[in-house]
């Protein structure tokens, strides 16, 4: 495993649309491992491949406090959204600030796992927030484009 460099907000790549993963292989699994290591290293709860400079539709999430439940999504597709929730989000690509964003309360998603097998997952709570935040990254959208309020670090506890 290896740490990857996280792209920061002024990098144009963050505004580009990621392409689907064509084949899940050892290189894919290596990338997922590196993304998880990088996410944990920087105390993030989610990371999309584009954030480490790879324009492919992969993301990793772990919303547990001790980092014990990593979830990986390859080529994720939303099946349905339900309800809404509002909370504060941060982003490893946008250091030093957080934003208040409205997200679905529940999102059902279909994706492929690291062995190339399809699965479906029903996500709610923080997992739904993180999932929708990361799905936006795959389409070149940052939370700052959706936020109803932005705060610099020190003004508000990050939610
Ligand atoms: Zn982000």
């Amino acid at each position: 495993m290896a740490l990857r460099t996280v792209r920061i907000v002024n990098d144009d790549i963050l505004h580009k649309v990621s392409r689907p993963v064509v084949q899940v292989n050892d290189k894919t699994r290596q990338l997922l491992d590196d993304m998880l290591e990088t996410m944990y290293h920087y105390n993030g709860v989610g990371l999309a491949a584009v954030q480490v400079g790879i324009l492919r539709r992969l993301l990793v999430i772990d919303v547990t406090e001790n980092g014990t439940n990593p979830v990986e999504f390859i080529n994720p597709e939303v099946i349905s959204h339900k309800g809404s929730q509002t909370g504060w989000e941060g982003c490893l690509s946008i250091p030093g600030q957080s934003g208040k964003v409205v997200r679905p309360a529940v999102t059902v998603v279909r994706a492929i796992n690291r062995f190339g097998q399809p699965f479906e997952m029903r996500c709610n709570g923080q997992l739904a927030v993180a999932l929708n935040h990361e799905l936006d990254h795959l389409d070149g959208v940052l939370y700052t484009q959706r936020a109803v309020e932005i705060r610099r670090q020190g003004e508000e506890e990050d939610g």
Side-chain angles (χ1 to χ4, degrees):
M1 301 222 289
L3 275 185
R4 304 253 181 155
T5 303
V6 176
R7 303 300 184 97
I8 301 302
V9 67
N10 58 4
D11 193 320
D12 282 346
I13 197 171
L14 293 172
H15 299 287
K16 293 184 177 167
V17 177
S18 294
R19 296 181 303 274
V21 173
V22 177
Q23 194 186 3
V24 179
N25 54 28
D26 285 345
K27 202 178 160 194
T28 317
R29 289 182 277 276
Q30 181 67 57
L31 174 59
L32 288 167
D33 287 343
D34 289 355
M35 286 168 63
L36 280 170
E37 185 178 353
T38 304
M39 178 185 79
Y40 288 132
H41 180 81
Y42 292 106
N43 297 312
V45 296
L47 194 71
V50 61
Q51 291 180 275
V52 293
I54 308 289
L55 277 170
R56 293 288 178 180
R57 302 183 83 82
L58 302 98
L59 52 92
V60 296
I61 295 173
D62 191 336
V63 295
T64 61
E65 290 199 0
N66 47 3
T68 51
N69 191 22
V71 195
E72 303 165 340
F73 301 88
I74 300 170
N75 296 344
E77 287 177 49
V78 171
I79 296 172
S80 64
H81 290 304
K82 193 176 163 189
S84 69
Q85 57 179 323
T86 305
W88 289 89
E89 296 178 20
C91 179
L92 293 181
S93 293
I94 312 175
Q97 67 178 53
S98 55
K100 196 179 193 179
V101 186
V102 181
R103 298 289 188 185
V106 181
T107 296
V108 180
V109 67
R110 175 192 300 130
I112 298 169
N113 70 14
R114 63 163 55 214
F115 306 108
Q117 297 156 335
F119 67 97
E120 283 185 18
M121 190 178 286
R122 181 181 182 278
C123 303
N124 57 23
Q126 281 303 112
L127 184 55
V129 171
L131 174 67
N132 283 286
H133 176 118
E134 301 309 328
L135 286 171
D136 272 352
H137 274 300
L138 302 185
D139 292 325
V141 175
L142 299 176
Y143 81 81
T144 46
Q145 295 165 252
R146 296 193 185 277
V148 294
E149 191 179 342
I150 298 276
R151 289 192 174 154
R152 301 266 165 203
Q153 213 163 53
E155 291 178 339
E156 173 78 13
E157 264 310 291
D158 204 338

